[in-house]
Structures are given as structure tokens and as C-alpha cells.
Amino acid sequence: MRRIFIILFTVLMSAASVPAQSRHNYVVGFYNLENLFDTYNDPVKNDEEYLPDGKNEWTEVKYQKKLHNMATVIAEMAKANGAFHTILGVSELENRLVLEDLVSQPELAGANFQIVHYDGPDRRGVDVGLLYRADQFEYLDSESIPFSFEGTQVPITLTKEEQQNFRTRDILMVHGLIAGEHFAFYVTHLPSRIGGKGGDLRSLGGDIIRRHSEKMSQKYPGIKMVVMGDMNDDPHDDSMSKWLGAVRRIEDTPKGGFFNPFWQMHADGYGSLAYRDVWSIYDQVIPSETLVNAAKGSLKIQKIGKKGYYGVVFKRPFMVTQKGPYKNYPLRTFSNGKFMNGYSDHFPTYIVIGK
């Protein structure tokens, strides 16, 4: 009898420690790769700083170190979750080649990541992209949504001429199936805050995504959606709260709206990047109401960890600056022009969905 009890106890404890992914859960996240450029000169890209003879002396050796570091972080998240991401949105990448080089890293071999990427019009020459596991996500179609001023109610400060000359990253939409359920994933990198400007442009980005999501809902009733990206805004800012329509509390999520898991986390002191000792969560993963209030037995957002948050800001000591004026900040690739052999100036974020 004692032996039977020990065996039963061992089985129960093993089941309790099974990683989330093996219980039909799926990790959906976002990572700003911080200027993942190759070493080749592209005449239509603003990549001069990231060339062997450029300002950053961006050599093949540095590029390979950067790829290894990015892969290490993604692999560490897989270790924490028991499996690789099902969906991973990424930003600040030069082209498809760098994503091919990234997913080819030995650390990521087990994921067999597939790539969705479009060349965009950004003046800096960076795009967004999406990596997915083909064994868990059935790709159906995708779209590169232009950053258009047409049809919006957002008050825009740019003149008509400035609007015609404005260039930024397109918004990527990827549509497919997880466990037979329709999903749309939006990946974005909204306009910069440089000079304290661009609030109206980021609001425009939130509005573009919301309007497109409404069209997807009409086309595929009940479709579940996730908006992710570097918003260059915190969850409470107008772009996210007003124009995208993402609320702070899950129970307040309106029909057709979104819930922002990182709003309460930011209020509680969490951050994905720091500037002048102020922490922000620009890196957000935001599920739709259909994913929040899903029917029993279908996929919905899950609480994560002992604190009961619905999101994670992922960091490990090796990803953090350990000393100097930027102590505790994300350990970035360059600091004041010096190659730091770091990871990114942003920590990645993710949510978990499951039944």
C-alpha cells in the first residue's frame, strides 16, 4: 500500500509540474529586437550605421553575436514555459534575411519557426514581422496594413503635405487557426516619441488597428484577436485606451473591445524599458474581448504565475545591466556608441492562452 501511495503521489506531483504548453496552452508574445540589421548595404534602406565601415562598425562577428543573443532570450522563454512560442511578433528588423538567420540559430532549432514579413516604407529601414510554429498555428493569410490618414477621426496635427511625406512601419496582420479556432494577430511598432511628439500618430495607429479588427470580426464572426507591439506609449495613453479601446480591468472589457493585461502591471511598477529612470511598458500584448470572454472549452487568456497577472514582462539577470549609470536597465546592444554585446533595450512580453 505504501508503495502504491508513493507512486500515486509521484504521478500527481509530475502532473502538477507539467509545463503550461503541454496542457494545451499556447504562448503569444512580442520582442523588440533593437536594430537587427545585417552587414550588407541596401541602397533603399537607411542602414549606413550598421555596416562594417559605418558608425557602429557593424561586422559579421557582431552580427552573429547579436543573433545568438536574441536566440538565447527566446530559448530562455521557451525553457520557462515548457515550449517555444506559438506566435512571436518582432520589430526593429531590417529584412526577411535577418529573420531567416535568427530562426536558423541552434538555440531555436526545436521551434521550426516560420516567418511572415513584408518590406515596409519606414524611413529608418526597419520592419515588423511574425514568427510562428507551423505545428500549432495554421497560417491562412496576411496583410501589410499601410499607415493611412484616410477615414480616421483622430485629430491630426500634420499638414496635408506632411501627411503625404510621412513614412513609418506598416502594421502586420496575420490570420490563421489555433486548435481550429480563427485568430488574427496584429504586430505594430507605432511612431516614435522623439522630440516629445507623435501622440496623434500613435493614436492613429491604434485607430487603424481597431477599424481593421472590426472588419475582421464582420468577416469572421467570433474571431479571436491579439494586438502586440512596441506602442511607444503606455497602456493608459490615448492610443491604447481610447483609440484601440483596451481597458485596464478584464471584467470591464466591452463587446468588440480589448483588454490590456499590462495596464495594471505598469501601475504596479513593472516595466519593459526605462528612460531617465522612468519605467514604461511600451511592449504590450493585448487580447480581444472574444478571447477574454470565450466560451467554456475554447481558447481564452490565462492567468500566469502566483500574482495572478495575465501578462509577463520577461527578464533574466543576464539580460540586465549590472552596473554603471544604467544599472537594472535592459542590457542593450550599444550604449553611448560602445558595443555592449547585449540583447535589447526592451524586455520581451507575452500572454498565455489555453482551454
Side-chain angles (χ1 to χ4, degrees):
M1 178 64 74
R2 183 173 180 271
R3 184 180 176 209
I4 293 174
F5 175 78
I6 291 172
I7 292 172
L8 180 60
F9 178 77
T10 302
V11 170
L12 290 173
M13 289 303 293
S14 297
S17 62
V18 170
Q21 200 84 4
S22 65
R23 297 196 301 269
H24 305 291
N25 284 355
Y26 306 87
V27 180
V28 177
F30 173 79
Y31 197 10
N32 181 321
L33 302 178
E34 192 200 7
N35 296 318
L36 182 56
F37 281 79
D38 62 32
T39 60
Y40 309 110
N41 186 20
D42 186 337
V44 299
K45 295 273 188 174
N46 185 14
D47 61 357
E48 285 73 18
E49 290 186 9
Y50 289 90
L51 297 174
D53 59 353
K55 177 182 176 182
N56 292 323
E57 298 179 350
W58 192 239
T59 62
E60 186 66 20
V61 171
K62 291 178 180 177
Y63 175 56
Q64 292 300 326
K65 288 182 177 179
K66 173 77 170 175
L67 290 170
H68 167 72
N69 289 350
M70 298 288 91
T72 297
V73 173
I74 297 169
E76 280 293 314
M77 286 190 280
K79 182 179 177 181
N81 289 303
F84 284 102
H85 287 69
T86 300
I87 300 289
L88 178 60
V90 288
S91 71
E92 287 201 18
L93 53 111
E94 183 181 8
N95 49 38
R96 185 183 179 91
L97 173 63
V98 299
L99 289 182
E100 291 175 350
D101 288 344
L102 175 61
V103 301
S104 298
Q105 295 297 298
E107 296 87 349
L108 304 184
N112 190 28
F113 280 127
Q114 304 301 301
I115 298 168
V116 184
H117 168 265
Y118 293 83
D119 284 315
D122 180 67
R123 293 197 185 280
R124 279 189 57 221
V126 292
D127 302 323
V128 298
L130 183 138
L131 309 179
Y132 69 91
R133 287 181 54 180
D135 62 327
Q136 295 186 338
F137 176 72
E138 181 183 346
Y139 171 89
L140 295 178
D141 55 76
S142 60
E143 181 180 353
S144 189
I145 306 168
F147 211 87
S148 171
F149 293 88
E150 296 181 4
T152 186
Q153 299 299 312
V154 176
I156 302 298
T157 60
L158 300 183
T159 65
K160 290 296 183 181
E161 182 178 358
E162 288 172 330
Q163 292 177 29
Q164 292 173 357
N165 293 325
F166 182 74
R167 300 289 183 273
T168 192
R169 284 77 58 176
D170 283 355
I171 299 162
L172 174 63
M173 188 285 297
V174 181
H175 169 221
L177 304 174
I178 298 178
E181 300 183 25
H182 279 275
F183 277 81
F185 297 97
Y186 293 87
V187 187
T188 187
H189 186 178
L190 295 182
S192 171
R193 281 178 166 254
I194 291 177
K197 299 179 180 180
D200 56 333
L201 301 176
R202 294 187 292 279
S203 289
L204 174 61
D207 184 49
I208 290 171
I209 296 170
R210 180 187 55 78
R211 286 185 284 131
H212 193 281
S213 72
E214 290 172 352
K215 293 179 181 178
M216 290 296 289
S217 294
Q218 292 171 3
K219 189 174 183 180
Y220 304 98
I223 187 172
K224 296 172 180 180
M225 294 174 279
V226 180
V227 179
M228 65 183 78
D230 177 353
M231 308 305 182
N232 272 309
D233 267 340
D234 281 313
H236 64 268
D237 288 314
D238 279 357
S239 62
M240 297 294 97
S241 61
K242 179 178 179 180
W243 294 102
L244 178 62
V247 300
R248 177 173 180 170
R249 301 187 339 146
I250 193 167
E251 57 267 31
D252 295 335
T253 310
K255 188 76 173 176
F258 292 88
F259 160 59
N260 196 330
F262 296 91
W263 191 331
Q264 187 59 52
M265 293 180 69
H266 184 235
D268 291 344
Y270 288 83
S272 63
L273 75 160
Y275 179 69
R276 294 182 177 176
D277 295 331
V278 176
W279 283 89
S280 294
I281 298 186
Y282 290 174
D283 308 87
Q284 298 160 42
V285 186
I286 305 170
S288 64
E289 179 270 336
T290 48
L291 193 50
V292 167
N293 295 324
K296 185 177 181 179
S298 66
L299 294 171
K300 66 186 301 182
I301 191 169
Q302 304 290 307
K303 287 185 177 180
I304 308 170
K306 295 179 180 179
K307 294 185 178 180
Y309 290 117
Y310 287 93
V312 171
V313 177
F314 184 82
K315 65 177 180 179
R316 292 292 185 266
F318 70 86
M319 300 164 58
V320 180
T321 305
Q322 298 298 322
K323 60 183 179 180
Y326 301 112
K327 183 178 179 181
N328 296 324
Y329 284 30
L331 180 58
R332 58 191 304 166
T333 307
F334 286 92
S335 180
N336 296 321
K338 180 182 177 182
F339 180 66
M340 304 299 293
N341 193 24
Y343 301 84
S344 173
D345 54 350
H346 294 241
F347 294 131
T349 54
Y350 62 81
I351 63 172
V352 173
I353 59 177
K355 297 183 179 181

